[in-house]
Every structure is written in C-alpha cells, then in structure tokens.
Amino acid sequence: MPVRPATEEAIAAAAQALAEGDLVAFPTETVYGLGANALDGHAVARVFAVKERPRFNPLIVHVANLEAAGSYGVFDATARKLAEAFWPGPLSLVLPLRPECGIADLVTAGLGTIALRVPHHAAAQALLAEAKLPLAAPSANRSGRISPTSASHVEAELGDTPAMILDGGPCKHGLESTVVGIVGGEPILLRLGSLPREAIEAVLGHSIARAEEDAAISSPGQLERHYAPETPLRLGATDLREVDALLAFGPDAPQGARTSINLSPTGNLEEAASHLFAALRELDASGASGIAVMPIPSHGLGEAINDRLQRAAKAR
Ligand code: TXA
Ligand code: MG
C-alpha cells in the first residue's frame, strides 16, 4: 500500500523518492497534489502519463518560501505584495519565468511563464524542506475528474502508481488555489479558487479582472474538462425528482431525497467549499440518475464553488 501517514520518516522517504525521479502524492491545504521534481523532465512527463492528461497544460510549482520562488519567477512589486500577504497559502502566481533556472520545459508548457505557490499545509512544508526541490504538482486525480481532498481519494484515483501517497488528513479548503497572473501589466484572475477574490482585491486596493475563458489567454488549463462526476448535475434546483440525489446548502434544504448531502447546514461558504469535492464523489457513487444542486450564493467563496459546479455540469 503506498498510503503512509505523513510522519517524519515517511517524509524523508518521500523526499528520497522525489530526488530519484519518482512521483509522490502529498497533501496541501487546498487539494492533494501529485508531485514530481520540477527540474527533472522525465519525472514531470510521468505526471502527465499518470494523470492521462490529454494536453501538456502547465503545472504549478510548489516551493518552500518566497525566497525559493524568486529563483524561478520574476516578482514585480505587485507580485511581491500578494506573495507577502498570502503565502504560505492558497494563492498561485503566474510570473515571468527566470531564464536558465532549470525548470523542465514540460512544467511551463514552453510559455515563458511559471505558476508558483507556497503551500501552507505542514506536511507539504516538511516535504519541501526535506526534498530541497521545487515540486511540480497538479491535483492528484486522473484528467477530467474531481480533485482529491483525502489520501483515500488519491488512492482511488491513482492506485499504487505514485511511489507514495502521504496522508495528511482531509484538506482544509478543499478547492484548488486561486491563480493570479502578473506578467507585465495589471494582475489578472486566471482561476477562481480557495482564496476569495475579495481578499486579493483588498490587498491590491482595486478590483481584479477575470480572464475570459474563450480569449487566447495564457492559461490553457482553464479550458480543461474539469471536476466531472459521471452523474448529470442540475444546478440551481429548488425542486426534487424521484431519481435525484441532492446536494444541499443552507438550512432550507428540501426533504425527501433518496440521498442527500448538505455542504453546510448553516450556510457557511467556507465549510461548503471544503466539502464540495468529497460530496460530489459520494453522490456520484450513490446510483442516482441525477444530482440536484441547490442554489449557492455567489459572494466570497461562492463564486469559486459555482464555477466548479458549472464546469461539472457542462463537462458531459
Ligand atoms: O490547489 C492547487 O493549486 C493544486 C494543489 C496540488 O497545489 N494544484 C493544482 O494544479 O490545481 P493543476 O495543475 O491541477 O492546475 C494548474 C493551473 C491550471 O489552471 C493551469 O493552466 C494554471 O494553473 N497554470 C499553470 N502554469 C501556468 C502558466 N505558466 N500560465 C498560466 N496558467 C498556468
Ligand atoms: Mg486539477
């Protein structure tokens, strides 16, 4: 069994495996990542193979701190400000790639930019400190499927393909990091995620534009078929059909569904985000022929939750 609790011993073994070009799945505060040494093109190629990614979308590189990030990306004043405000934490910054910095081409998909993130999770921090390597790590799911928020999800997705799956418990946020591009010019929101837009705007002192999905933007991953359960979703549902499983939110959930999960009975959006992927997995496995999803407000983390739900509904 590749799943091991994230003890000091397991982390040392995981760091060794990464240095040898093997893959290690590890917890972060957002979702579990499938990590490879970002300096090793062969190891990174295996990430794409294992995930069965149809395209070489660029990957997020995880580093221990801002100083390490500076070896790979070029920080302007705005990038530094956001990094200082939110790292370690659920923010990824897409920055100009430092030339000759050794990051494998496959990581950046030859874009000339790099996505960097300093995760907050203690096991991720310990692994980065021990490995002393930048780790390219997409979410540890097969392509087009829901991101894993526990070690058992990773095992269900990837089996024993990674050399090890470090178990650091359920992910606190349960949604991927927010991705902001700062590549000369105004910062742009490339992916909604665990860090609410409002928090970023408060630090910037102004609003941030969201990249248009159909524009020829520099984030091909945006167009990826993502977050997809097999069962069709019905969003904004206020009624129930007999065949439905119910994904509920808040205190006024309709009664009588065969299977029902409430993301947050009190209507707390952070709690809802952290349960979203696990709930979708569970309802998807329930045998219902449809999943009715109650309306979810779109302020704060609700914006990212609705984004994920819309992708899941569209993906079929
Ligand atoms: O929360 C997270 O960010 C998780 C955990 C494991 O850290 N990682 C994750 O990675 O979600 P992944 O590979 O599933 O998503 C990477 C996202 C994609 O939307 C991709 O297009 C964007 O980051 N990205 C990466 N490098 C980029 C670049 N150079 N330019 C634009 N977008 C980039
Ligand atoms: Mg992903």
Side-chain angles (χ1 to χ4, degrees):
M1 288 286 267
V3 180
R4 287 179 67 177
T7 59
E8 222 171 285
E9 206 188 346
I11 282 167
Q16 180 70 29
L18 287 163
E20 289 167 0
D22 280 332
L23 307 186
V24 169
F26 63 94
T28 81
E29 68 278 18
T30 58
V31 300
Y32 275 69
L34 178 63
N37 174 4
L39 306 173
D40 177 346
H42 289 285
V44 175
R46 288 195 52 220
V47 170
F48 289 98
V50 167
K51 281 182 64 87
E52 298 168 16
R53 269 208 180 173
R55 283 169 304 201
F56 289 147
N57 294 316
L59 306 178
I60 295 172
V61 175
H62 298 65
V63 291
N65 50 43
L66 178 52
E67 192 194 340
S71 314
Y72 307 112
V74 181
F75 285 73
D76 69 7
T78 308
R80 191 163 293 278
K81 194 166 162 184
L82 290 180
E84 281 168 355
F86 297 116
W87 282 356
L91 172 70
S92 296
L93 293 174
V94 173
L95 305 176
L97 178 67
R98 216 169 257 295
E100 314 286 317
C101 68
I103 295 288
D105 284 343
L106 213 40
V107 171
T108 57
L111 284 171
T113 54
I114 182 169
L116 288 159
R117 152 159 145 76
V118 177
H120 188 265
H121 195 290
Q125 280 283 335
L127 182 62
L128 287 164
E130 184 74 24
K132 300 186 178 63
L133 291 169
L135 299 181
S139 49
N141 51 281
R142 277 180 292 125
S143 193
R145 309 224 339 142
I146 298 165
S147 295
T149 55
S150 73
S152 62
H153 291 168
V154 179
E155 198 182 22
E157 284 290 319
L158 304 178
D160 54 10
T161 319
M164 198 190 297
I165 299 170
L166 283 174
D167 187 350
C171 299
K172 178 177 162 217
H173 296 301
L175 270 185
E176 294 87 346
S177 61
T178 301
V179 182
V180 171
I182 309 178
V183 186
E186 287 300 306
I188 181 154
L189 193 49
L190 295 173
R191 179 177 75 181
L192 294 162
S194 276
L195 184 66
R197 172 203 286 265
E198 291 89 336
I200 296 168
E201 291 178 337
V203 168
L204 290 174
H206 57 79
S207 64
I208 183 168
R210 170 129 186 242
E212 291 292 331
E213 294 255 334
D214 53 357
I217 46 154
S218 57
S219 189
Q222 284 226 319
L223 306 173
E224 208 181 353
R225 199 194 132 208
H226 243 326
Y227 318 112
E230 311 281 330
T231 316
L233 298 189
R234 203 152 51 80
L235 302 187
T238 45
D239 60 322
L240 271 180
R241 297 176 192 160
E242 200 147 313
V243 290
D244 280 340
L246 175 68
L247 187 64
F249 176 82
D252 303 319
Q255 300 300 308
R258 281 199 322 178
T259 315
S260 151
I261 298 178
N262 197 323
L263 291 172
S264 171
T266 59
N268 178 314
L269 288 164
E270 285 177 23
E271 182 186 28
S274 72
H275 294 152
L276 178 65
F277 290 150
L280 282 173
R281 264 171 204 280
E282 196 176 325
L283 295 179
D284 198 19
S286 73
S289 48
I291 300 172
V293 182
M294 281 180 70
I296 292 172
S298 56
H299 59 84
L301 281 183
E303 191 184 12
I305 294 171
N306 282 310
D307 172 73
R308 297 301 187 276
L309 286 168
Q310 277 152 16
R311 284 165 195 267
K314 246 196 307 211
R316 303 182 40 84

